[in-house]
Amino acid sequence: MDFKKGLNEQIELKISGGIYQRGILIDYEADLFVIYDGSRFIYIPMYHVHSIHFEKNSNDIVSNPENMPISEEMDSISFRKMLTHAKGLFTEITVLKNKSVYGYITNVLTDYIVFYSPVYKSMYISIQHIKSLIPYNNNETPYALAGGDLPVHHSNLPLARTFEEQVKKLTGKVVIFDLGEEEKKVGQLKSIKQNIVTVITARREEVYCNSRHIKTIHLS
């Protein structure tokens, strides 16, 4: 279905994790929605959209923005192009329900991005698990840090082409999966074989994770 006929109309999207995003529809392509909620442009990949509702009779109307989002600079948009154009911009990324990370995209690989966060430092985020992305203005920085207080430290670890191969490079290191939302997702990465990641927890227990469901990974 072509949703472009709904451009500039009020819309509500339900996305993975039971998250609702509301605003006006700014742009749409086969793999991407762009909405404006009154202050932010929100980029949402189509594969995380569960339902779409045009709110024609809504009393909570958002005005059209004066400044267009990243997609204005591109002849055509796609989720991957948007990730590339967002490199170097202060960005908010949602990967877990109601939990976002803030920082900068530094690299875009085949199926993951490298993300620098002042809190988590260098992170590897699976593209398929990015639920939404919000790029901020050029003069905005996370946590109101001055530019000199926000050096983007690039990891010395060579980058692999795929997320799974990058995870393998962390074998033997203490890692944190999915922002440490579960205690058993923190530990020494022992091995990864046939999409099964083995982690040894602080209590020396072996935990097995399906790599396809790992959203983020960073070092302790």
Side-chain angles (χ1 to χ4, degrees):
M1 181 174 179
D2 185 3
F3 291 104
K4 287 191 175 181
K5 64 182 181 181
L7 291 177
N8 301 317
E9 291 190 16
Q10 193 84 358
I11 193 173
E12 180 184 73
L13 301 179
K14 180 181 179 181
I15 63 178
S16 301
I19 302 168
Y20 288 87
Q21 296 283 8
R22 299 177 68 243
I24 60 172
L25 181 61
I26 296 298
D27 208 343
Y28 165 77
E29 293 295 338
D31 71 340
L32 182 67
F33 282 91
V34 185
I35 65 173
Y36 179 70
D37 70 355
S39 61
R40 308 171 304 170
F41 294 102
I42 306 172
Y43 294 75
I44 302 169
M46 180 64 178
Y47 52 76
H48 278 301
V49 175
H50 290 226
S51 64
I52 302 158
H53 175 220
F54 285 94
E55 301 178 314
K56 297 184 182 297
N57 299 317
S58 174
N59 294 321
D60 185 19
I61 300 299
V62 175
S63 299
N64 282 292
E66 295 181 2
N67 299 315
M68 294 296 290
I70 289 174
S71 53
E72 184 184 38
E73 303 172 3
M74 296 182 269
D75 296 330
S76 62
I77 64 170
S78 69
F79 191 55
R80 175 166 288 277
K81 281 185 179 181
M82 181 275 303
L83 290 172
T84 300
H85 278 259
K87 287 173 62 176
L89 293 177
F90 167 39
T91 301
E92 174 184 343
I93 292 179
T94 300
V95 288
L96 303 173
K97 181 180 180 180
N98 299 328
K99 192 167 186 178
S100 299
V101 292
Y102 300 84
Y104 301 87
I105 297 173
T106 61
N107 294 90
V108 180
L109 287 304
T110 300
D111 61 352
Y112 74 102
I113 63 171
V114 184
F115 190 79
Y116 180 80
S117 159
V119 175
Y120 302 105
K121 308 310 177 187
S122 289
M123 307 177 66
Y124 308 106
I125 302 176
S126 169
I127 290 176
Q128 69 171 341
H129 290 297
I130 297 176
K131 295 176 175 61
S132 67
L133 182 147
I134 301 170
Y136 288 80
N137 295 327
N138 286 323
N139 60 349
E140 290 184 287
T141 57
Y143 312 105
L145 293 171
D149 297 325
L150 189 60
V152 177
H153 297 288
H154 295 276
S155 171
N156 293 324
L157 191 70
L159 297 177
R161 186 173 57 89
T162 67
F163 186 66
E164 183 171 329
E165 288 300 318
Q166 188 64 20
V167 172
K168 287 180 180 178
K169 289 179 178 290
L170 302 177
T171 300
K173 300 182 183 296
V174 176
V175 299
I176 301 171
F177 293 136
D178 301 342
L179 307 180
E181 63 170 347
E182 298 176 20
E183 183 180 353
K184 291 184 178 180
K185 288 188 175 182
V186 179
Q188 182 194 156
L189 199 161
K190 182 178 179 181
S191 66
I192 175 170
K193 296 178 182 178
Q194 298 179 333
N195 299 311
I196 299 299
V197 180
T198 304
V199 175
I200 304 176
T201 69
R203 296 186 177 182
R204 304 175 66 89
E205 298 174 329
E206 286 196 354
V207 176
Y208 307 96
C209 304
N210 186 335
S211 65
R212 294 187 180 95
H213 294 289
I214 295 173
K215 303 170 184 65
T216 71
I217 182 170
H218 65 280
L219 297 175
S220 63

